[in-house]
Amino acid sequence: MFNVEETIAGPEAAPIPQQRGGSLLEAAVRYVQERHWDVFPGTWLEAVDGMPRCSCGRAACRMPGAHPVRQDWATRATGSATVVRRLWAAQPKASILLPTGRTFDAIDVPETAGFLALARMERMELTLGPVALTPDRRMWFFVLPGAAAKVPDLVRNRGWSLDLLDLSALGEGSYVAAPPTRYAVRGAVQWVCRPTDANRWLPDAEELISPLAYACGRDR
């Protein structure tokens, strides 16, 4: 069984969300030390003429404040707490990004479908890994690595067409933003199911795909 945590929505028209350097550094170190996840610093938000802008400088940035700074981000991801402290000391406002395809993959679904799936999973007494909710109303279910390769066949084998579902899996070469990262004016990434000792062992994608595909089908 699992507990779905309350999520707190921020104000719709906040100027720049305050991203506290201390909490970002502390969170990044916890992910490395307690979960053995690799992390790497991403972009951050800056005020330009009173408006939030991504540190990358692109006015039309698709994910302001929460994407890699460099193209070689995959080689910069680290599992060393010492390196993490050095990286965030250099830029305390940097977002926390986690590469997928290493210690976990993530199944990405819309928020509404995610909460519907969570209700079904609770009734089915499924064991979940961490689940994150993003400011742009997406939900990430953390599962064992390899999900990105398996999900298309898993969905098809259950009679669904992946082309008709707003469902995808993030694996090698992708990443997710981790709490308490904030982007644009939408708010922060939050844990719906927080990483704990109870969910240290991640489920396989096959265990979750039926309720997730069903929920996405209902959400169309």
Side-chain angles (χ1 to χ4, degrees), residues 123-180:
R123 292 194 296 272
M124 296 166 68
E125 298 187 353
L126 294 179
T127 300
L128 286 182
V131 180
L133 177 66
T134 75
D136 50 1
R137 306 179 74 84
R138 306 293 301 181
M139 202 174 280
W140 294 324
F141 288 75
F142 286 39
V143 294
L144 288 172
K150 295 194 297 185
V151 159
D153 284 341
L154 290 174
V155 170
R156 281 193 293 268
N157 290 343
R158 284 157 178 78
W160 296 94
S161 170
L162 195 60
D163 293 337
L164 300 179
L165 299 181
D166 188 0
L167 180 155
S168 62
L170 305 173
E172 187 175 356
S174 297
Y175 60 88
V176 295

Side-chain angles (χ1 to χ4, degrees), residues 63-150:
M63 202 168 181
H67 64 82
V69 175
R70 300 162 41 147
Q71 291 187 343
D72 63 346
W73 60 265
T75 62
R76 301 190 71 214
T78 179
S80 164
T82 300
V83 174
V84 166
R85 291 188 178 95
R86 184 172 71 245
L87 291 171
W88 266 269
Q91 182 41 259
K93 296 188 294 183
S95 54
I96 303 172
L97 304 181
L98 310 174
T100 51
R102 300 186 182 186
T103 51
F104 65 87
D105 280 7
I107 301 178
D108 179 340
V109 299
E111 174 188 339
T112 50
F115 279 116
L116 176 60
L118 282 171
R120 291 179 63 85
M121 290 173 187
E122 186 168 22
R123 292 194 296 272
M124 296 166 68
E125 298 187 353
L126 294 179
T127 300
L128 286 182
V131 180
L133 177 66
T134 75
D136 50 1
R137 306 179 74 84
R138 306 293 301 181
M139 202 174 280
W140 294 324
F141 288 75
F142 286 39
V143 294
L144 288 172
K150 295 194 297 185

